[in-house]
Amino acid sequence: MVFTNPTWFEGMLVMAGYFLIPLILGIILLAVCFIKDKPIIGTTLFAVCFIVAMFGSWYLWWDNYEVPSVQSKVVTVDNWQPKAGIHTNDKGMMIIDNADQLMLITTDGEGFLNEENFLFQKFDTRDILNTMKPGGTYNISYYGWREGFNSGFPNILSVEKVVDESNATNVSVGDYFGTKLV
């Protein structure tokens, strides 16, 4: 079975449904309790419904879309480059100080994030950066999809296998970390 990612509109509807149903229930409970002159109980019930709406929508999204989207793919690394949105200092230079500020670009023009993720227990972004050398071919495991609406990219979970490193060049830390011109 191949995972088909939702469009941004489908994703928005799903998240709104997960979030709005408990929130509407909380508003109704709040109104009923205020009518019955029990505002403290109503406020407490609303707060509980709001918390359920926040965490419930997040969990259901994760369970229905993020977890099933885990896939493997063979990629050849073209280079690593700063991801969009890195801030600049007062001299107009960007400062890159950790591996999750970089994005992998493949020879096919695809982009992959390399960010840590608590839920997938991924805490080795620097190891992945050091393993995936420009010019090398690797079998990676990743989750997510390219979402143009919010500039989303799939996130690398692990390097499953080194396929070919005969044309690979070592990652030069100086090329990626430190202060760079914009």
Side-chain angles (χ1 to χ4, degrees):
M1 180 172 124
V2 176
F3 174 79
T4 303
N5 59 298
T7 66
W8 70 269
F9 185 70
E10 290 170 335
M12 183 181 69
L13 286 177
V14 168
M15 284 298 287
Y18 291 155
F19 181 76
L20 288 177
I21 292 169
L23 192 61
I24 290 169
L25 177 64
I27 291 169
I28 291 169
L29 290 171
L30 180 66
V32 167
C33 287
F34 266 92
I35 290 170
K36 295 194 179 235
D37 204 24
K38 305 219 187 253
I40 294 175
I41 294 172
T43 305
T44 304
L45 289 173
F46 176 77
V48 168
C49 287
F50 183 77
I51 291 169
V52 168
M54 292 298 292
F55 289 106
S57 63
W58 167 78
Y59 173 75
L60 290 170
W61 175 265
W62 176 262
D63 196 45
N64 290 328
Y65 289 99
E66 299 294 344
V67 172
S69 73
V70 174
Q71 299 178 51
S72 292
K73 184 174 196 171
V74 175
V75 297
T76 301
V77 178
D78 184 33
N79 63 29
W80 290 89
Q81 60 182 241
K83 64 183 186 183
I86 294 182
H87 299 288
T88 58
N89 64 13
D90 58 348
K91 296 177 184 170
M93 314 247 321
M94 61 184 166
I95 299 172
I96 300 171
D97 55 6
N98 59 43
D100 67 355
Q101 293 174 319
L102 297 171
M103 190 167 136
L104 173 77
I105 306 299
T106 68
T107 54
D108 294 334
E110 293 179 290
F112 290 89
L113 297 177
N114 182 26
E115 297 175 341
E116 301 201 350
N117 187 297
F118 176 77
L119 294 171
F120 277 119
Q121 297 295 299
K122 180 198 174 203
F123 304 108
D124 59 350
T125 57
R126 185 61 185 251
D127 295 337
I128 289 174
L129 171 70
N130 291 336
T131 301
M132 298 186 73
K133 302 171 185 170
T137 302
Y138 307 91
N139 185 9
I140 61 169
S141 175
Y142 66 96
Y143 76 94
W145 50 88
R146 174 71 176 109
E147 176 61 69
F149 179 72
N150 64 0
S151 296
F153 288 90
N155 189 13
I156 300 170
L157 289 174
S158 62
V159 178
E160 301 296 320
K161 178 179 162 188
V162 175
V163 176
D164 180 23
E165 283 191 333
S166 58
N167 295 325
T169 58
N170 286 329
V171 175
S172 174
V173 175
D175 290 345
Y176 300 109
F177 294 100
T179 305
K180 305 290 177 213
L181 289 172
V182 177

